[in-house]
Amino acid sequence: KAGVTQTPRYLIKTRGQQVTLSCSPISGHRSVSWYQQTPGQGLQFLFEYFSETQRNKGNFPGRFSGRQFSNSRSEMNVSTLELGDSALYLCASSSSDRNTEAFFGQGTRLTVV
Amino acid sequence: QKEVEQNSGPLSVPEGAIASLNCTYSDRGSQSFFWYRQYSGKSPELIMFIYSNGDKEDGRFTAQLNKASQYVSLLIRDSQPSDSATYLCAVYRPGRRALTFGSGTRLQVQP
């Protein structure tokens, strides 16, 4: 069974640009969550999707958005990039609507210069 | 007070010893508890989960949960140098639909 796939693995963007990250969950998993990991703040929750609906959002500015498609694949978008957005962005999928036993993808390392 | 607290370490143990990692949480509504292992430069890997008070064993790993004390721990028996990593404690509260992570404990197993 394939794991969670995130693309791209690495990105370098310039301040002010926007970026789209993609996540394909484990087959059959309908819940997808996104997290940001930085050395200073650790792992912080961005948002969670289940059956194409955003059910919860973390404490991030509106520049961070996401969506989920009917095949459970998810994308997150960050507009007007800032230097502080440099981080490892992680996607996690779980099979139930209770977000238990979440499995992470390899992450996308975003560097904003 | 952070929602999930862990000692950042490093926790250094000799090869073959028992490593004991601890985590406390503040939200009594937390229902599910997870331990993730993260190697440097890699993503977190789920190694244990526990939902009920008591112990849960899986190979060399034992997770312990005490909801009254709001305390979760992870024991690693016969520690190996390959166990050297950062261990993240995470809790899940229904309704929030998100994991809340501690800052992680760095474990070093000395050969």
Side-chain angles (χ1 to χ4, degrees), chain A residues 11-32:
Chain A
L11 268 177
I12 300 176
K13 290 286 188 179
T14 305
R15 268 187 309 174
Q17 287 186 313
Q18 75 165 21
V19 66
T20 299
L21 313 181
S22 178
C23 171
S24 293
I26 293 170
S27 178
H29 285 195
R30 294 164 64 190
S31 173
V32 173

Side-chain angles (χ1 to χ4, degrees), chain A residues 35 37 56 98 101-102 105, chain B residues 36 38 43 51 92 96 99:
Chain A
Y35 294 82
Q37 187 174 32
N56 196 13
R98 297 191 300 132
E101 299 166 45
Chain B
Y36 287 84
Q38 187 173 27
S43 64
Y51 304 142
Y92 177 80
R96 194 172 179 187
L99 292 170

Side-chain angles (χ1 to χ4, degrees), chain B residues 9-103:
Chain B
L11 171 66
S12 185
V13 300
E15 184 175 354
I18 296 175
S20 177
L21 303 160
N22 303 315
C23 170
T24 58
Y25 60 95
S26 60
D27 188 343
R28 287 195 174 274
S30 299
Q31 198 171 74
S32 311
F33 305 86
F34 306 88
W35 284 98
Y36 287 84
R37 176 176 63 198
Q38 187 173 27
Y39 293 111
S40 181
K42 303 294 185 183
S43 64
E45 174 192 8
L46 179 64
I47 55 172
M48 287 291 289
F49 56 90
I50 186 166
Y51 304 142
S52 305
N53 276 330
D55 295 0
K56 179 182 178 183
E57 187 175 317
D58 184 1
R60 295 187 297 113
F61 299 99
T62 298
Q64 299 174 317
L65 173 62
N66 184 324
K67 288 187 178 180
S69 300
Q70 295 175 250
Y71 177 88
V72 194
S73 66
L74 178 70
L75 300 178
I76 306 175
R77 289 181 299 281
D78 188 25
S79 295
Q80 301 297 309
S82 59
D83 295 326
S84 298
T86 296
Y87 289 80
L88 298 161
C89 172
V91 305
Y92 177 80
R93 178 165 63 84
R96 194 172 179 187
R97 299 193 175 96
L99 292 170
T100 303
F101 285 85
S103 56

Side-chain angles (χ1 to χ4, degrees), chain A residues 15 71 104:
Chain A
R15 268 187 309 174
N71 62 357
F104 283 92

Side-chain angles (χ1 to χ4, degrees), chain A:
Chain A
K1 201 173 190 180
V4 181
T5 303
Q6 291 187 246
T7 56
R9 292 289 311 281
Y10 303 93
L11 268 177
I12 300 176
K13 290 286 188 179
T14 305
R15 268 187 309 174
Q17 287 186 313
Q18 75 165 21
V19 66
T20 299
L21 313 181
S22 178
C23 171
S24 293
I26 293 170
S27 178
H29 285 195
R30 294 164 64 190
S31 173
V32 173
S33 301
W34 289 89
Y35 294 82
Q36 181 197 65
Q37 187 174 32
T38 59
Q41 299 298 318
L43 266 156
Q44 292 189 289
F45 171 72
L46 281 157
F47 23 67
E48 189 261 356
Y49 289 89
F50 183 83
S51 294
E52 302 178 68
T53 300
Q54 183 183 95
R55 299 194 300 180
N56 196 13
K57 190 177 193 299
N59 189 24
F60 279 83
R63 300 185 296 107
F64 291 81
S65 63
R67 59 178 174 169
Q68 187 181 33
F69 302 96
S70 59
N71 62 357
S72 294
R73 190 177 71 85
S74 177
E75 289 182 346
M76 69 163 281
N77 184 279
V78 188
S79 62
T80 320
L81 284 165
E82 300 177 0
L83 295 178
D85 297 333
S86 296
L88 179 65
Y89 289 89
L90 293 159
C91 164
S93 82
S94 61
S95 60
S96 77
D97 67 348
R98 297 191 300 132
N99 198 23
T100 56
E101 299 166 45
F103 299 92
F104 283 92
Q106 293 176 299
T108 296
R109 173 76 61 185
L110 172 64
T111 302
V112 182
V113 298

